[in-house]
């Protein structure tokens, strides 16, 4: 043995080794327990399961209290991979219950394997009956989560109401209050009123053990929140009118919009072809959606607010109003018309009617020549010193009627139409153009583009004799006293109220005396109307009709636009007339007209080729 | 020794180091509390039911204390006398368990009597410690004499190989902790350092190429020889010669068209070097060189086979444990899961912990083996850093106390035995606590006095109280002499 002194030195060494080892352990402990906070988060993640409680989406009612969109109970089937029975389970039975192909289940399960502790949604839109079956059959690892989806009892207003879908990745990046798997309104009213309708998600924090079994509520529910039901909204839509309009427009491409002039409420808004909103709910949604995308008639395109149509003769009303306001037209002013208007090399055809015509007759019979004179007088007004300045003045007037800009409705995806400006023509004609060059604007042709909503708004302006309320789709929101202030303000055009009377007179005459719209007459309702036949490069003329009724204290202003259906009186007029009849009298007596509209086929070679 | 064959202690409490006993009692109580927390869930059936692990452990604690009394009543000379027979018995027990034992968790290391399982290796450790103490306390024993070293090595290698055959590698490696004792008993430190380095090298051997391993081994052994005999010039020349020779050999083999790797040439060259060194050592009468050469050759046996061992002898779970520990693979769902969860449990404890029976990670079974190998998680999670500080402080104090007991005794037998116990406790604590916090690879060895398990508790109790008994008797002896 070594000497006593050597032994003592070695004792010191070994004591040092012991202390060093314990010191190292303590340092490491201090690091993970006191300084590295990630373990505390991980412990919480281990033990706590945050269960989202989904709220029911707010209902949508029509103006008479009928359901347009309801929330229906349905379930998501979730799986936690590591809790699945080790011995396997009856996949065939499960697939049968869920009505899904086995390959889908297997695919989902194999992707669930990558995060075995996380809950993964396998199937959505599981109906309640299946959920009860699943509860009875109880396979460990599977559980259901309560959700709601939309259902549409009336099956109307596809484009109007819009649809609800899962949030996409771009949306998740843009809005931070959504999570993967949340539903969000994507178009239409659902999108415009998403904030109101969506409600508030609730949360339940549960303590779970290593096997995923729930051990109880975390801190007695101190962090739990109850889901808040989405608020319901009442639409301005009249479901019956909407349904009837959709029936009448079936097979035709176009749009119809009706507005209550005294409030700006949209009573009906159809974009045809439309679709059954229930088709964009549930498991078949993706397939139906793709079908619609492939459909050349584009049912998902909301023509009522997006399409740019030439307004045709209906635009003559605006022309006359501007002329009177500018002082270049008196209602009694007559102009000759012998099958058209000629000035130099420019000519504009017209149909056969009495000549000369005054303003109200020109409106009633839709004389092209008359409004060519009016338009030239506006543009060539000497007080502006040049056609181009005159054009600017004209454009300002047109825009005051709501054309060429979006109307700031409560509706998303509204198009602005198109009113060309001076620069547009300067560019096109290299600076050399005059009133004759742009003469087709006088009868609502040329570069002019209007949305059917803007045209309906024009009908409302004339019905109100000079002002409009912003058209809107929602009447009231649960828990809110009023809508946005802008919907209660009158918006005046630049034309004085007094100038409207001759125009209204012309529209009344068109229906009741000697005009193009006599078919629209409804006894005792004093319908006023204006037909339009818009030439277009795509084929047969578009048929359009603009109308309001009754003449005094009007209750409905309507615009119907049917693509390629010929004269305004041949298709748009009967549809508008029937809708007015239904809305104002509550029933439709002229079954022969209904039959005519429904049986009349319109051909669309450009969509269907 | 005075009273021939009779105990020289009238009272069994005479000369007992009560500080050690207090530390022991404190640690066992900590153990029972931890097991209670880990195994009892509020709302289950009654607290005192033998269905619970903590109740069983309480019973084992009672048994252990009785055993402690019995050990204290024995005459200290019996231990000296019975150490070789005990060693033999231990070896027989290990062989028996290898033949007739029961396999648990892949290790054939258990006897089963009814519902009670016993792990003989725990008791064999006592016998080995006694035998080592007996051998090293012999009058003619000098630790740096090669023949004695070889005897000692053989004494450890025999049980070690049986334990490894049982596939209980963790328990086998514990015997490596005896290096601690050998160092205290005067083993040349330049022998200790290469042994530690070589052990380290073999742990990381899966990460380095065989050639690099071989070069490191040659350099380590040459350096330690230089430090031992303080003759460096000739050794540097020899080292250079070995490497030069290997390169020439490699080049020649290339010329002959033999496509062996450099590794082979280097090994051949080093063997020639070993032969030359052996002749030199014999001539110069430098015996310690033989020990180093033997160690070098022994490690040579392992070297080409490490990869073979790793791939064929180590079970996949052991391979994964080592690879996970070395950071070569990250596997939080498989092998890494245990350590990851255990770190989460301990890390979430913070300074003060979550409180007794409040640990969520423990309570909800996130930590596997929570009442046996990973019992320290309960300490870390529920009692926090301060609790861990106290428990580790108790353990550290116990180890230092044992070393002190060994030092103050005049008897080499007592000293060596106390050091053996201290080194075993130190190793167990380091590995067990170290693995729960990611400092050590996972080896299935218990935390002394705290982990659940009757055989481990009783074996450690016997081991400790033999040390207390030996200490007590030498103290009273000294007292009688005065």
């Amino acid at each position: 043995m070594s000497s006593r002194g050597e032994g003592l030195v070695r004792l010191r060494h070994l004591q040092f080794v012991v202390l060093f080892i314990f010191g190292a352990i303590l340092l490491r402990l201090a690091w993970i327990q006191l300084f590295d906070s990630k373990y505390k988060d991980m412990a919480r993640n281990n033990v706590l399961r945050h269960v989202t409680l989904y709220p029911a989406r707010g209902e949508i009612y029509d103006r008479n209290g009928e359901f347009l969109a309801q929330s229906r109970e349905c379930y998501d089937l979730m799986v936690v991979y590591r809790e699945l029975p080790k011995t396997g389970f009856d996949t065939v039975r499960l697939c049968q219950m869920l009505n899904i192909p086995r390959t889908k289940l297997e695919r989902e399960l194999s992707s669930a394997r990558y995060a075995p502790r996380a809950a993964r949604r396998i199937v959505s839109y599981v109906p309640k009956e299946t959920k009860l079956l699943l509860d009875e059959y109880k396979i460990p690892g599977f559980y259901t989560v309560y959700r709601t989806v939309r259902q549409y009892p009336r099956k109307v207003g596809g484009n109007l109401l819009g649809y609800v879908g899962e949030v996409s990745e771009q949306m998740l990046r843009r809005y931070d209050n959504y999570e993967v798997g949340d539903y969000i309104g994507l178009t239409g009213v659902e999108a415009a009123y998403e904030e109101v309708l969506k409600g508030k998600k609730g949360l339940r924090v549960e303590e779970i053990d290593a096997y995923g079994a729930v051990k109880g509520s975390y801190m007695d529910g101190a962090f739990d929140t109850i889901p808040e039901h989405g608020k319901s909204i009442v639409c301005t839509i009249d479901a019956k009118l909407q349904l009837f309009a959709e029936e009448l427009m079936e097979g035709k491409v176009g749009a119809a919009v009706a507005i209550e002039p005294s409030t700006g409420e949209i009573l009906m808004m159809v974009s045809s072809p439309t679709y059954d909103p229930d088709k964009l709910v549930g498991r078949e949604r993706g397939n139906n959606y793709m079908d619609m995308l492939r459909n050349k008639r584009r049912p998902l395109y909301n023509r009522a607010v997006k399409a740019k149509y030439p307004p045709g003769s209906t635009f003559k009303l605006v022309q006359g109003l501007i002329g009177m306001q500018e002082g270049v037209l008196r209602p009694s002013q007559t102009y000759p018309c012998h099958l058209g208007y000629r000035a130099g090399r420019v000519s504009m055809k017209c149909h056969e009617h009495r000549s000369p015509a005054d303003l109200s007759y020109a409106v009633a019979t839709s004389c092209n020549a008359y409004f060519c004179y009016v338009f030239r007088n506006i543009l060539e007004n000497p007080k502006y010193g040049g056609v181009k300045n005159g054009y600017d003045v004209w454009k300002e007037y047109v825009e005051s009627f709501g054309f060429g800009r979006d109307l700031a409705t409560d509706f998303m995806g509204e198009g602005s139409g198109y009113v060309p400006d001076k620069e547009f023509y300067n560019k096109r004609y290299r600076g050399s153009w005059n009133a004759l060059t742009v003469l087709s604007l006088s009868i609502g042709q040329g570069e002019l583009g209007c949305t059917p909503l803007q045209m309906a708004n024009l009908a409302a302006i004339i019905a109100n004799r000079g002002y409009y309320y912003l058209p809107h789709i929602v009447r009231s929101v649960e828990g809110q006293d009023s809508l946005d202030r802008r919907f209660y303000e009158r918006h005046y055009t630049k034309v004085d109220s007094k100038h409207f009377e001759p125009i209204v007179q012309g529209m009344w005459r068109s229906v009741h005396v000697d005009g193009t719209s006599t078919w629209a007459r409804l006894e005792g309702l004093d319908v006023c109307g204006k037909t339009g036949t818009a030439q277009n490069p795509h084929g047969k003329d578009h048929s359009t009709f603009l109308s309001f009724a009754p003449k005094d204290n009007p209750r409905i202003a309507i615009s119907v636009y049917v693509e390629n259906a010929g004269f305004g009186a041949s298709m748009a007029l009967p549809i508008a007339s029937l809708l007015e009849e239904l809305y104002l009298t509550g029933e439709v007596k002229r079954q022969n007209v209904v039959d005519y509209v429904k049986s009349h086929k319109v051909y669309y070679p450009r969509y269907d080729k | 020794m005075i009273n021939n064959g009779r105990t020289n202690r009238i009272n069994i409490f005479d000369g007992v180091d009560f500080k050690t006993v207090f530390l022991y009692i404190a640690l066992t109580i900590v153990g029972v509390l931890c097991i209670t927390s880990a195994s009892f869930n509020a709302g289950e059936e009654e607290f005192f039911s033998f269905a619970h692990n903590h109740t069983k452990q309480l019973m084992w604690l009672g048994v252990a204390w009785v055993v402690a009394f019995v050990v204290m009543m024995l005459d200290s000379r019996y231990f000296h006398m019975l150490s070789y027979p005990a060693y033999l018995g231990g070896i027989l027990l290990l062989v028996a368990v290898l033949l007739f034992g029961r396999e648990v968790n892949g290790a054939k290391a258990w006897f089963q009597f009814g519902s009670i399982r016993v792990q003989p290796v725990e008791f064999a450790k006592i016998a080995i410690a006694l035998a080592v103490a007996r051998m090293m306390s012999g009058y003619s024993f000098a630790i740096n004499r090669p023949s004695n070293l070889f005897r000692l090595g053989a004494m450890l290698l025999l049980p070690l190989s049986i334990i490894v055959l049982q596939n209980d590698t963790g328990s086998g490696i514990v015997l490596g902790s005896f290096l601690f004792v050998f160092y205290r008993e005067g083993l040349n430190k330049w022998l200790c350092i290469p042994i530690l380095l070589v052990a380290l090298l073999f742990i990381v051997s899966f990460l380095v190429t065989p050639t690099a391993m071989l070069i490191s081994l040659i350099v380590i052994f040459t350096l330690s020889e230089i430090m031992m005999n303080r003759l460096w010039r000739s050794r540097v020349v020899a080292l250079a010669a070995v490497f030069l020779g290997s390169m020439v050999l490699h080049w020649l083999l290339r010329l002959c068209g033999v496509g062996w790797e450099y590794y082979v040439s280097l090994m051949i060259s080093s063997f020639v070097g070993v032969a030359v060194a052996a002749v030199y050592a014999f001539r110069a009468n430098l015996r310690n060189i033989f020990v180093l050469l033997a160690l070098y050759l022994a490690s040579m046996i392992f070297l080409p086979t490490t990869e073979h061992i790793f791939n064929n002898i180590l079970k996949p779970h052991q391979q994964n444990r080592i690879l996970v520990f070395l950071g070569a693979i990250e596997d939080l769902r498989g092998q890494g899961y245990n350590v990851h969860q255990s770190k989460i449990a301990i890390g979430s404890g913070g300074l003060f912990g979550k409180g007794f029976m409040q640990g969520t990670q423990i309570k909800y079974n996130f930590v596997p083996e929570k009442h046996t190998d990973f019992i320290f998680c309960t300490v870390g999670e529920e009692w926090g850093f301060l609790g861990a500080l106290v428990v580790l402080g108790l353990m550290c104090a116990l180890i230092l106390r044992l070393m002190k007991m060994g030092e103050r005794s005049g008897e080499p037998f007592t000293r060596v035995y106390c050091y053996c116990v201290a080194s075993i406790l130190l190793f167990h604590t380091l590995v067990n606590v170290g693995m729960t916090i990611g400092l050590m690879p996972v080896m299935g060895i218990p935390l002394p006095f705290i982990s659940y398990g009757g055989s481990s508790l009783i074996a450690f109790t016997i081991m400790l109280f033999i040390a207390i008994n030996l200490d007590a008797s030498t103290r009273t002896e000294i007292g009688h002499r005065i």
Side-chain angles (χ1 to χ4, degrees):
Chain A
M1 204 203 104
S2 52
S3 69
R4 186 85 196 146
E6 170 72 8
L8 262 174
V9 171
R10 297 214 162 200
L11 166 68
R12 293 279 171 257
H13 287 170
L14 292 176
Q15 280 172 336
F16 173 77
V17 167
V18 171
L19 290 175
F20 175 81
I21 286 173
F22 278 92
I25 291 175
L26 281 176
L27 272 181
R28 173 80 178 158
L29 270 176
W31 174 250
I32 69 171
Q33 289 193 297
L34 305 181
F35 299 107
D36 197 341
S37 62
K38 77 177 179 213
Y39 295 107
K40 290 174 188 69
D41 298 335
M42 286 177 178
R44 217 166 290 142
N45 289 345
N46 262 345
V47 173
L48 301 186
R49 178 191 278 170
H50 295 253
V51 180
T52 307
L53 307 174
Y54 292 98
R57 204 171 166 83
E59 287 87 8
I60 302 177
Y61 299 94
D62 89 330
R63 63 191 294 117
N64 302 318
E66 240 183 90
F67 273 122
L68 287 176
Q70 277 174 305
S71 280
R72 170 166 59 92
E73 176 177 357
C74 96
Y75 295 84
D76 283 352
L77 182 65
M78 314 289 282
V79 73
V80 180
Y81 190 81
R82 55 170 290 168
E83 294 164 26
L84 289 176
K86 294 278 179 292
T87 49
F89 58 94
D90 192 348
T91 47
V92 177
R93 175 81 200 280
L94 185 67
C95 289
Q96 270 172 3
M97 279 196 284
L98 294 168
N99 193 18
I100 55 169
R102 176 116 170 255
T103 46
K104 178 178 159 65
L105 181 72
E106 274 161 9
R107 202 173 52 233
E108 291 290 343
L109 284 179
S110 65
S111 20
R113 206 171 54 205
Y114 291 108
R117 298 168 61 82
R120 184 185 171 85
R121 183 164 39 155
I122 295 258
V123 186
S124 14
Y125 311 114
V126 176
K128 191 177 181 187
E129 305 79 56
T130 313
K131 185 247 176 192
L132 293 175
L133 264 179
L134 285 168
D135 284 352
E136 210 171 296
Y137 192 57
K138 188 66 190 148
I139 307 168
F142 286 99
Y143 67 98
T144 51
V145 173
Y146 173 88
R147 305 286 303 255
T148 60
V149 288
R150 280 305 199 200
Q151 86 175 358
Y152 302 90
R154 272 290 193 177
K155 299 197 180 301
V156 294
N159 276 312
L160 175 78
L161 297 171
Y163 55 89
V164 176
E166 237 171 79
V167 278
S168 65
E169 260 176 56
Q170 294 109 313
M171 284 173 167
L172 283 174
R173 248 173 273 138
R174 210 160 353 128
Y175 311 111
D176 47 5
N177 48 349
Y178 287 90
E179 284 161 31
V180 176
D182 284 357
Y183 290 147
I184 184 172
L186 291 170
T187 58
V189 177
E190 298 277 18
Y193 284 84
E194 167 69 16
E195 279 307 305
V196 178
L197 290 170
K198 74 174 182 192
K200 217 172 142 196
K201 280 186 288 186
L203 184 69
R204 194 170 64 224
V205 188
E206 293 170 341
E207 285 194 348
I208 55 168
D209 69 5
Y211 314 108
V214 177
K215 288 292 181 180
S217 178
Y218 177 59
M219 291 185 69
D220 292 327
F223 295 97
D224 293 6
T225 51
I226 299 167
E228 273 175 37
H229 194 286
K231 294 196 184 90
S232 63
I233 58 179
V234 177
C235 270
T236 59
I237 295 294
D238 183 318
K240 253 161 66 187
L241 191 66
Q242 177 82 18
L243 178 65
F244 187 50
E246 284 184 11
E247 277 174 21
L248 294 178
M249 292 292 282
E250 202 185 328
K252 300 152 186 83
V253 177
V257 180
I259 296 176
E260 186 176 66
S262 57
T263 55
E265 291 175 357
I266 296 170
L267 299 171
M268 170 274 293
M269 187 154 86
V270 177
S271 168
S272 185
T274 182
Y275 60 88
D276 176 358
D278 272 331
K279 278 194 165 179
L280 288 184
V281 178
R283 248 179 261 166
E284 281 305 302
R285 196 194 130 187
N287 292 341
N288 291 337
Y289 187 81
M290 290 317 290
D291 282 348
M292 287 186 208
L293 273 189
R294 277 193 289 268
N295 188 335
K296 287 199 176 134
R297 293 193 184 195
R298 299 175 69 194
L300 290 171
Y301 179 63
N302 192 352
R303 292 176 165 81
V305 294
K306 283 198 176 94
K308 281 180 216 159
Y309 288 129
S313 303
T314 56
F315 197 72
K316 288 169 184 166
L317 306 170
V318 181
Q319 222 67 270
L321 288 166
I322 300 171
M324 281 187 278
Q325 179 70 26
E326 278 293 284
V328 297
L329 173 67
R330 277 172 292 111
S332 55
Q333 172 84 50
T334 59
Y335 287 111
C337 170
H338 301 287
L339 290 177
Y341 172 82
R342 266 168 295 278
R345 280 187 299 157
V346 180
S347 71
M348 180 78 74
K349 278 186 195 155
C350 191
H351 58 98
E352 207 176 319
H353 60 80
R354 276 182 283 134
S355 172
D358 67 355
L359 177 58
S360 75
Y361 180 63
V363 168
T365 196
S366 195
C367 175
N368 285 349
Y370 191 93
F371 291 97
C372 289
Y373 287 110
V374 175
F375 184 59
R376 274 193 78 172
N377 290 344
I378 298 167
L379 260 56
E380 291 168 357
N381 194 341
K383 81 175 169 199
Y384 299 119
V387 170
K388 286 166 191 169
N389 294 341
Y391 181 82
D392 276 344
V393 174
W394 177 84
K395 182 170 180 278
E396 255 179 64
Y397 275 109
V398 171
E399 280 175 352
S400 76
F401 283 86
F403 293 108
R405 58 184 168 86
D406 69 54
L407 287 167
T409 64
D410 57 350
F411 205 81
M412 278 166 110
E414 194 195 341
S416 57
Y418 185 60
V419 180
D421 57 8
K422 194 168 64 182
E423 277 67 40
F424 174 83
Y425 288 116
N426 281 340
K427 214 168 163 187
R428 175 182 274 194
Y429 300 110
R430 299 209 180 84
S432 96
W433 55 280
N434 57 28
L436 292 178
T437 326
V438 296
L439 195 63
S440 49
L441 289 179
S442 65
I443 57 162
Q445 296 282 164
E447 293 77 17
L448 213 52
C450 305
T451 66
L453 179 68
Q454 286 170 339
M455 289 188 248
N457 191 42
L458 173 63
I461 290 169
I462 295 167
N464 285 337
R465 274 74 165 171
Y467 64 86
Y468 66 95
Y469 292 98
L470 289 181
H472 51 278
I473 199 88
V474 167
R475 209 172 189 198
S476 65
V477 174
E478 181 189 345
Q480 283 181 23
D481 294 338
S482 59
L483 299 174
D484 194 290
R485 262 188 59 195
R486 69 180 200 271
F487 296 119
Y488 302 111
E489 283 166 7
R490 286 184 181 186
H491 294 258
Y492 283 93
T493 64
K494 295 184 75 179
V495 176
D496 292 340
S497 181
K498 62 182 181 204
H499 298 304
F500 279 83
E501 219 41 63
I503 298 291
V504 172
Q505 201 55 44
M507 286 172 77
W508 186 84
R509 186 172 167 179
S510 177
V511 177
H512 291 91
V513 188
D514 51 0
T516 50
S517 324
T518 46
W519 204 9
R521 189 181 305 172
L522 293 169
E523 284 313 316
L525 287 176
D526 277 342
V527 177
C528 302
K530 178 77 196 80
T531 55
T533 306
Q535 291 172 355
N536 67 86
H538 305 298
K540 222 175 146 187
D541 293 345
H542 295 324
S543 165
T544 166
F545 189 66
L546 199 134
S547 168
F548 64 90
K551 179 164 152 262
D552 300 310
N553 300 320
R555 289 171 53 206
I556 181 169
I558 190 164
S559 144
V560 176
Y561 206 103
V562 184
E563 290 182 26
N564 304 114
F567 292 115
S570 65
M571 185 48 65
L573 183 146
I575 291 174
S577 175
L578 286 170
L579 291 171
E580 280 172 341
E581 186 183 358
L582 177 69
Y583 184 71
L584 296 173
T585 67
E587 57 181 341
V588 176
K589 288 200 182 108
R590 296 175 294 168
Q591 192 56 43
N592 59 330
V593 183
V594 177
D595 292 341
Y596 163 78
V597 169
K598 286 192 176 171
S599 61
H600 193 99
K601 286 237 13 124
V602 183
Y603 294 98
Y604 293 99
R606 74 169 158 134
Y607 290 124
D608 299 339
K609 66 183 170 224
Chain B
M1 309 213 176
I2 304 160
N3 297 349
N4 214 359
R6 288 175 57 86
T7 177
N8 49 25
R9 289 186 300 132
I10 305 358
N11 187 325
I12 63 162
F13 294 116
D14 273 357
V16 168
D17 189 285
F18 282 106
K19 284 178 189 160
T20 312
V21 176
F22 165 77
L23 290 172
Y24 163 78
I25 291 174
L27 281 169
T28 51
I29 288 171
V30 164
V32 170
L33 287 178
C34 285
I35 290 161
T36 308
S37 184
S39 64
F40 184 74
N41 293 330
E44 277 184 11
E45 64 261 49
E46 51 184 311
F47 190 80
F48 291 104
S49 146
F50 275 91
H52 294 310
N53 288 328
H54 61 263
T55 322
K56 288 189 203 158
Q57 185 72 3
L58 215 52
M59 181 198 79
W60 285 123
L61 188 59
V63 174
W65 286 359
V66 172
V67 169
F69 267 98
V70 173
V71 171
M72 287 308 293
M73 283 193 289
L74 292 176
D75 189 312
S76 63
R77 277 168 302 178
Y78 285 139
F79 301 122
H80 187 270
M81 211 163 72
L82 289 174
S83 49
Y84 284 149
Y87 178 78
L88 200 63
I91 296 290
L92 287 177
L93 214 55
L94 288 176
V95 173
V97 84
L98 185 62
L99 296 178
F100 313 112
R102 189 189 148 86
E103 201 169 304
V104 176
N105 289 340
K108 203 174 181 185
W110 302 79
F111 278 130
Q112 178 122 18
F113 306 108
S115 66
I116 298 168
R117 266 193 237 148
V118 179
Q119 201 176 6
V121 72
E122 304 287 358
F123 297 96
K125 273 183 235 167
I126 307 172
I128 296 166
L130 283 171
V132 166
R134 168 85 186 261
M135 181 181 279
M136 291 180 71
S137 60
Y139 287 117
S140 56
F141 187 87
I143 186 137
N144 283 319
R145 193 181 300 152
S147 60
N148 285 342
L149 265 181
F150 289 135
R151 266 169 60 204
L152 205 53
M155 183 180 251
L156 290 179
L157 272 176
L158 180 60
L160 175 66
S161 47
I162 302 173
I163 294 170
V164 169
L165 281 178
Q166 285 172 2
N167 206 359
D168 191 9
T169 324
S171 303
I173 294 174
V174 176
L175 298 183
S177 65
F178 281 66
L179 189 64
F180 192 85
V181 186
F182 301 160
Y183 180 76
R184 168 60 189 89
E185 291 304 304
L187 185 64
N188 193 320
K189 65 184 165 195
W190 298 113
L191 210 50
C192 294
I193 290 169
I195 290 172
L196 282 177
L197 284 177
V198 169
L200 202 66
L201 205 58
F202 277 107
I203 291 177
V204 300
S205 66
F206 314 112
L207 297 181
V208 296
T209 63
T211 313
M213 278 281 293
L214 193 58
I215 293 172
S216 322
L217 281 175
I218 293 169
V219 171
I220 287 172
F221 280 103
T222 314
L223 282 182
S224 62
E225 200 278 332
I226 290 173
M227 295 315 292
M228 248 189 228
N229 293 326
R230 305 275 164 179
L231 295 165
W232 62 274
R233 282 206 186 89
S234 55
R235 272 60 172 177
V236 171
V237 172
L239 196 61
V242 166
F243 282 110
L244 204 66
S246 71
M247 282 177 221
V248 171
L249 187 64
H250 186 58
W251 181 67
L252 283 175
L253 286 173
R254 271 284 169 81
L255 277 188
C256 302
V258 183
W260 285 346
E261 285 182 57
Y262 174 67
Y263 170 77
V264 181
S265 318
L266 184 59
M267 193 180 278
I268 293 169
S269 168
S270 75
F271 285 156
V272 174
V274 167
V276 172
V279 171
Y280 165 78
F282 186 72
R283 287 262 183 93
N285 206 14
L286 289 170
R287 295 286 177 78
N288 51 18
I289 293 180
F290 284 120
V291 179
L292 280 175
L293 292 179
L295 273 175
Y296 177 74
L297 290 177
S299 54
M300 226 20 49
I301 296 166
F302 286 109
L303 183 62
T305 50
T306 36
E307 224 173 276
H308 176 75
I309 289 176
F310 184 70
N311 289 332
N312 301 309
I313 295 178
L314 286 183
K315 296 281 179 291
H317 72 272
Q318 290 170 322
Q319 295 175 16
N320 282 338
R321 278 176 193 175
I322 291 171
L323 288 176
V324 167
F325 172 68
L326 294 174
I329 55 171
E330 178 138 339
D331 178 19
L332 294 185
R333 309 219 174 275
Q335 280 304 320
Y337 177 79
N338 292 6
V339 173
H340 186 63
Q341 290 299 338
S342 126
K343 279 199 279 187
I344 290 175
I346 294 173
S348 66
L351 182 60
F352 298 106
K354 297 178 185 168
F356 183 58
M357 308 258 280
Q358 300 297 315
T360 52
Q361 309 298 304
I362 299 292
K363 203 162 59 172
Y364 297 145
N365 292 319
F366 288 97
V367 181
E369 304 284 335
K370 56 184 179 174
H371 53 270
T372 54
D373 293 349
F374 283 91
I375 190 74
F376 192 72
C377 293
T378 314
V379 179
E381 188 182 11
E382 300 195 344
W383 301 345
F385 180 70
L386 293 179
L389 192 70
V390 169
V391 172
L392 289 174
L394 289 173
M395 192 61 86
C396 184
L398 181 61
I399 291 167
L400 292 175
R401 194 78 206 158
L402 275 166
M403 287 162 68
K404 186 169 181 190
M405 278 159 59
E407 287 297 332
R408 75 183 171 196
S409 141
E411 291 277 341
F413 180 78
T414 307
R415 184 178 64 236
V416 174
Y417 181 78
C418 284
Y419 266 91
C420 283
V421 177
S423 67
I424 290 172
L425 291 183
L426 180 65
F427 189 84
H428 270 260
T429 311
L430 170 65
V431 170
N432 183 288
V433 176
M435 81 182 176
T436 62
I437 53 179
L439 275 182
M440 288 273 149
V442 176
M443 282 186 249
I445 61 173
L447 187 59
F449 310 119
I450 296 181
S451 280
Y452 173 77
S455 55
S456 132
L457 178 62
I458 291 172
F460 277 115
T461 304
I462 295 173
M463 190 187 280
L464 180 68
F465 276 85
I466 290 176
I468 294 174
N469 187 332
L470 288 172
D471 172 64
S473 63
T474 50
R475 285 218 290 177
T476 44
E477 215 170 275
I478 292 163
H480 280 275
R481 274 182 192 155
I482 296 164

